[in-house]
Amino acid sequence: MSADEASGMGPLVARLSRGGQRLRQADRAHSWVLDTTVVVVVSLMFCLPDLLHGGAGYGDGPRRFRLAFTLLPPAVTLVLQAGLVLPLLWRRRRPMAAFGTIAAVFALQWSLGAALRADVALFIALYSLALHGRPRQVPWACGIMVAGMALVAVRASAAVSVWDALFFLLSTATAALALGLMVRTRRAQLAGLRERAARLEIERDQRSRLATATERTRVAREMHDIVGHNLAIMITLADAGVYATDAAPERGKEALQLIGDTGRTALGELRRVLGVLREASDGPPVAPELSPQPDLMDIEALCDGVRTAGLDIVYRTAGDLGALDGGMQLTVYRIVQEALTNSLKHAGAGTRVKLSVVVEDVRLVIRVRDDGPAQRPGSRNEEGHGLVGMRERVALYGGNVSAGPATGGGWAVEATLDMTPRAGAR
């Protein structure tokens, strides 16, 4: 087939597919229409000729057929035809009952020695049973079919060879059975594909919702770190400025300047975080103001900012910190930021804080200890969002974090990160 012919077949196949789908929908809504149509067609094609010509073995058939079969009265023929054809009305709802009824009438008919064209109903019933019936019913139907075909072959032995008749009849029965099973298998495959497509769509939606929830958690964690840390510094500076306004106006002015600088820093970080969340539907795309993510080099500046709020910070490092990747450096920075914010919030100005970031073999250990009060608000009953955020960040690197009263007084936070390269990492 040429490319032009193939392209021309495409719309035809699509129209046939749509037509078949509409027919299936109409059949599901009005199943009795198709069942009645089958009965009417079989009656017109196979019952009416027997009534007009006296049976399948009569009319224009060879003389040997007229001698082999019995000619029944029209009334008896009509009753037998009704028994063969009418059960087809429920061949899809009760396929085994329809097959059994037709098989019984079929056996009665051939026991009388009559041949009717309406016997085709038995093959239709077998096809329907293979398509709609229970699988365990099919072997029983096959056994009944073989017995019925053997009866026909014996009765027709005067006209044709028993083996020839048996071969023809069993071949026809096998074709009907195979066609029913093939259609049933095809429908099961299509149903499986539709179910798999629906399941994949559900899984896709679930993955999308999970990714959205994960992103929301990440943004919420970043927002907490940015807002919590900078607001804690601003509140502390504002309180200090209130006390310094009367006694030392210059210190009050300096506190206000530091509050402004801290607010601008927080605003810049918030713009960077929220800029990536802006959707195109909100208006013309505006590129967010981007800046590098904080790393270990920014911890010193972080400490300077917290020192202006009143904390006395002693910061030291040890080990090869340059080997850390950007993601781990950001994690370290956020953990330190959260720990210092908690010390500033709960211990207050004048607190001495010892901060260390140490690389020990394949571990990175962050220790933050202050000499403030050992009991912190909410430390007994609930875990703050800051500590939850720490645990989430540390878990990404197979580590752990602990926070609580330190031996000898004060409050201590210790976080450990695993620096072992992960499988597949480059």
Side-chain angles (χ1 to χ4, degrees):
M1 181 182 294
S2 64
D4 294 338
E5 292 175 345
S7 61
M9 289 293 290
L12 177 60
V13 173
R15 286 195 294 270
L16 291 176
S17 178
R18 289 193 296 269
Q21 185 175 3
R22 286 193 291 267
L23 286 176
R24 286 191 295 271
Q25 292 174 352
D27 181 48
R28 284 194 292 268
H30 307 285
S31 59
W32 62 270
V33 175
L34 179 59
D35 295 334
T36 304
T37 302
V38 170
V39 171
V40 171
V41 171
V42 171
S43 299
L44 293 176
M45 293 182 61
F46 301 100
C47 296
L48 190 59
D50 285 348
L51 292 174
L52 296 178
H53 300 100
Y58 290 85
D60 299 331
R63 185 172 182 274
R64 56 180 177 173
F65 284 97
R66 293 198 298 270
L67 296 176
F69 301 118
T70 303
L71 178 62
L72 298 175
V76 177
T77 300
L78 185 61
V79 171
L80 291 175
Q81 288 176 340
L84 291 170
V85 175
L86 291 181
L88 295 178
L89 288 171
W90 64 82
R91 64 184 179 86
R92 293 191 292 178
R93 296 187 299 274
R94 297 182 178 276
M96 190 61 190
F99 177 82
T101 302
I102 295 174
V105 176
F106 180 85
L108 174 62
Q109 168 211 319
W110 280 98
S111 65
L112 298 175
L116 297 176
R117 292 182 177 88
D119 290 340
V120 71
L122 184 64
F123 298 100
I124 298 175
L126 179 63
Y127 162 82
S128 300
L129 178 62
L131 179 58
H132 303 289
R134 298 176 183 176
R136 65 172 180 268
Q137 295 174 340
V138 174
W140 292 99
C142 291
I144 295 173
M145 201 71 181
V146 171
M149 296 303 101
L151 174 62
V152 175
V154 171
R155 282 292 186 177
S157 59
V160 295
S161 169
V162 173
W163 298 110
D164 291 344
L166 195 60
F167 174 79
F168 173 78
L169 294 171
L170 290 180
S171 298
T172 306
T174 302
L177 179 65
L179 181 61
L181 293 176
M182 182 188 69
V183 175
R184 181 177 191 146
T185 303
R186 178 62 176 170
R187 289 184 180 179
Q189 290 175 345
L190 292 176
L193 290 175
R194 286 192 291 268
E195 181 182 356
R196 183 171 181 270
R199 187 170 62 251
L200 289 176
E201 185 175 356
I202 293 174
E203 292 176 356
R204 182 198 62 190
D205 294 341
Q206 290 176 342
R207 286 195 298 268
S208 177
R209 287 194 293 270
L210 181 60
T212 301
T214 302
E215 183 64 15
R216 286 178 177 175
T217 302
R218 185 190 68 81
V219 172
R221 189 167 57 233
E222 291 287 334
M223 295 283 288
H224 174 270
D225 292 341
I226 294 170
V227 175
H229 170 73
N230 289 286
L231 282 181
I233 294 177
M234 293 169 68
I235 292 171
T236 304
L237 290 173
D239 291 340
V242 170
Y243 290 110
T245 299
D246 297 330
E250 292 299 325
R251 295 299 299 275
K253 181 179 179 180
E254 181 182 356
L256 292 176
Q257 291 176 342
L258 291 174
I259 290 174
D261 293 339
T262 303
R264 280 187 289 272
T265 301
L267 184 60
E269 292 191 37
L270 286 175
R271 284 176 176 172
R272 175 178 57 80
V273 173
L274 297 178
V276 299
L277 301 178
R278 188 172 302 164
E279 298 180 351
S281 60
D282 295 338
V286 179
E289 298 179 7
L290 301 179
S291 60
Q293 290 277 26
D295 55 21
L296 293 181
M297 300 296 295
D298 296 307
I299 292 181
E300 188 62 48
L302 175 66
C303 293
D304 291 339
V306 178
R307 287 189 185 103
T308 61
L311 290 184
D312 181 13
I313 302 176
V314 179
Y315 172 47
R316 74 178 185 90
T317 61
D320 185 12
L321 299 179
L324 304 180
D325 59 36
M328 185 171 287
Q329 291 193 37
L330 175 62
T331 298
V332 174
Y333 179 89
R334 293 303 188 196
I335 292 174
V336 171
Q337 183 184 51
E338 180 61 32
L340 295 179
T341 300
N342 287 338
S343 295
L344 179 62
K345 185 187 302 182
H346 299 297
T351 302
R352 183 177 180 83
V353 180
K354 293 182 179 180
L355 167 63
S356 64
V357 180
V358 181
V359 174
E360 300 175 352
D361 195 11
V362 294
R363 299 190 311 157
L364 185 144
V365 182
I366 306 167
R367 296 184 179 94
V368 183
R369 176 174 177 177
D370 62 52
D371 58 2
Q375 292 297 328
R376 302 289 166 93
S379 61
R380 287 187 177 182
N381 300 324
E382 62 181 8
E383 214 175 55
H385 294 291
L387 185 56
V388 173
M390 286 187 194
R391 294 191 191 282
E392 292 176 350
R393 292 182 183 277
V394 170
L396 296 176
Y397 293 92
N400 56 77
V401 62
S402 61
T407 304
W411 189 267
V413 175
E414 181 172 327
T416 303
L417 282 75
D418 186 5
M419 298 174 57
T420 304
R422 283 167 169 71
R426 297 183 178 180

Short mmCIF file of all heavy atoms in Angstrom, two decimals, residues 26-27 44 85 93 108 114 151 214 270 274 303 344 405 415 424 426:
data_model
loop_
_atom_site.label_atom_id
_atom_site.label_comp_id
_atom_site.label_asym_id
_atom_site.label_seq_id
_atom_site.Cartn_x
_atom_site.Cartn_y
_atom_site.Cartn_z
N ALA A 26 -25.01 3.09 22.03
CA ALA A 26 -26.45 2.88 21.82
C ALA A 26 -26.87 1.49 22.28
O ALA A 26 -27.96 1.31 22.85
CB ALA A 26 -26.79 3.08 20.35
N ASP A 27 -26.00 0.49 22.07
CA ASP A 27 -26.33 -0.87 22.49
C ASP A 27 -26.39 -0.97 24.01
O ASP A 27 -27.25 -1.66 24.57
CB ASP A 27 -25.30 -1.84 21.92
CG ASP A 27 -25.60 -3.28 22.31
OD1 ASP A 27 -26.76 -3.70 22.16
OD2 ASP A 27 -24.68 -3.98 22.76
N LEU A 44 -35.97 -14.17 9.18
CA LEU A 44 -36.18 -13.89 7.76
C LEU A 44 -35.28 -14.71 6.87
O LEU A 44 -35.68 -15.18 5.79
CB LEU A 44 -35.97 -12.39 7.49
CG LEU A 44 -37.00 -11.43 8.13
CD1 LEU A 44 -36.62 -9.99 7.85
CD2 LEU A 44 -38.40 -11.73 7.60
N VAL A 85 -35.09 -20.02 17.75
CA VAL A 85 -34.73 -18.63 17.50
C VAL A 85 -35.03 -17.70 18.68
O VAL A 85 -34.22 -16.83 19.03
CB VAL A 85 -35.45 -18.13 16.23
CG1 VAL A 85 -35.18 -16.64 16.01
CG2 VAL A 85 -35.00 -18.93 15.02
N ARG A 93 -27.71 -11.84 28.12
CA ARG A 93 -27.98 -11.74 29.55
C ARG A 93 -27.84 -13.08 30.25
O ARG A 93 -27.27 -13.15 31.35
CB ARG A 93 -29.40 -11.18 29.78
CG ARG A 93 -29.58 -9.75 29.27
CD ARG A 93 -30.93 -9.19 29.67
NE ARG A 93 -32.03 -9.98 29.11
CZ ARG A 93 -32.54 -9.79 27.91
NH1 ARG A 93 -32.02 -8.85 27.11
NH2 ARG A 93 -33.54 -10.52 27.47
N LEU A 108 -34.39 -32.40 20.03
CA LEU A 108 -35.75 -32.87 19.75
C LEU A 108 -36.02 -32.87 18.25
O LEU A 108 -36.59 -33.84 17.70
CB LEU A 108 -36.76 -31.97 20.47
CG LEU A 108 -38.25 -32.24 20.17
CD1 LEU A 108 -38.63 -33.66 20.60
CD2 LEU A 108 -39.13 -31.20 20.86
N ALA A 114 -35.90 -34.27 11.35
CA ALA A 114 -36.15 -33.08 10.53
C ALA A 114 -34.90 -32.23 10.46
O ALA A 114 -34.12 -32.14 11.43
CB ALA A 114 -37.30 -32.28 11.12
N LEU A 151 -25.11 -36.54 16.54
CA LEU A 151 -26.48 -36.93 16.22
C LEU A 151 -26.86 -36.51 14.81
O LEU A 151 -27.46 -37.29 14.04
CB LEU A 151 -27.44 -36.29 17.23
CG LEU A 151 -28.94 -36.48 16.97
CD1 LEU A 151 -29.31 -37.97 17.02
CD2 LEU A 151 -29.77 -35.69 17.99
N THR A 214 5.67 19.03 47.94
CA THR A 214 7.09 19.11 48.25
C THR A 214 7.63 20.51 48.01
O THR A 214 8.39 21.05 48.81
CB THR A 214 7.87 18.10 47.40
OG1 THR A 214 7.36 16.79 47.65
CG2 THR A 214 9.34 18.13 47.72
N LEU A 270 13.14 37.54 49.94
CA LEU A 270 11.75 37.16 49.68
C LEU A 270 11.40 37.33 48.20
O LEU A 270 10.70 36.49 47.62
CB LEU A 270 10.81 38.03 50.53
CG LEU A 270 10.76 37.69 52.02
CD1 LEU A 270 9.87 38.69 52.75
CD2 LEU A 270 10.23 36.28 52.24
N LEU A 274 9.96 34.29 46.02
CA LEU A 274 8.61 34.40 45.46
C LEU A 274 8.63 34.63 43.96
O LEU A 274 7.65 34.34 43.28
CB LEU A 274 7.85 35.54 46.15
CG LEU A 274 7.61 35.37 47.65
CD1 LEU A 274 6.90 36.59 48.21
CD2 LEU A 274 6.80 34.12 47.92
N CYS A 303 26.91 36.13 61.02
CA CYS A 303 27.31 36.33 62.42
C CYS A 303 27.46 37.82 62.74
O CYS A 303 27.05 38.28 63.82
CB CYS A 303 28.62 35.61 62.70
SG CYS A 303 28.48 33.81 62.63
N LEU A 344 18.93 34.13 69.66
CA LEU A 344 18.58 35.54 69.80
C LEU A 344 17.17 35.71 70.33
O LEU A 344 16.90 36.58 71.16
CB LEU A 344 18.73 36.23 68.43
CG LEU A 344 18.40 37.72 68.37
CD1 LEU A 344 19.33 38.52 69.28
CD2 LEU A 344 18.48 38.22 66.94
N PRO A 405 18.76 21.19 76.28
CA PRO A 405 19.65 21.78 77.29
C PRO A 405 21.04 21.16 77.21
O PRO A 405 21.20 19.96 77.05
CB PRO A 405 18.95 21.44 78.61
CG PRO A 405 17.52 21.20 78.23
CD PRO A 405 17.55 20.60 76.86
N ALA A 415 24.04 19.26 64.67
CA ALA A 415 23.56 18.62 63.44
C ALA A 415 24.73 17.91 62.77
O ALA A 415 25.83 18.45 62.69
CB ALA A 415 22.95 19.64 62.50
N GLY A 424 25.30 7.23 41.82
CA GLY A 424 24.83 7.94 40.64
C GLY A 424 25.14 9.41 40.64
O GLY A 424 24.91 10.11 39.67
N ARG A 426 27.45 12.71 40.39
CA ARG A 426 28.60 13.08 39.56
C ARG A 426 29.35 14.24 40.18
O ARG A 426 28.77 15.11 40.75
CB ARG A 426 28.14 13.46 38.14
CG ARG A 426 27.49 12.30 37.40
CD ARG A 426 27.14 12.71 36.00
NE ARG A 426 26.55 11.61 35.26
CZ ARG A 426 26.15 11.69 34.01
NH1 ARG A 426 26.27 12.80 33.32
NH2 ARG A 426 25.60 10.66 33.38
#
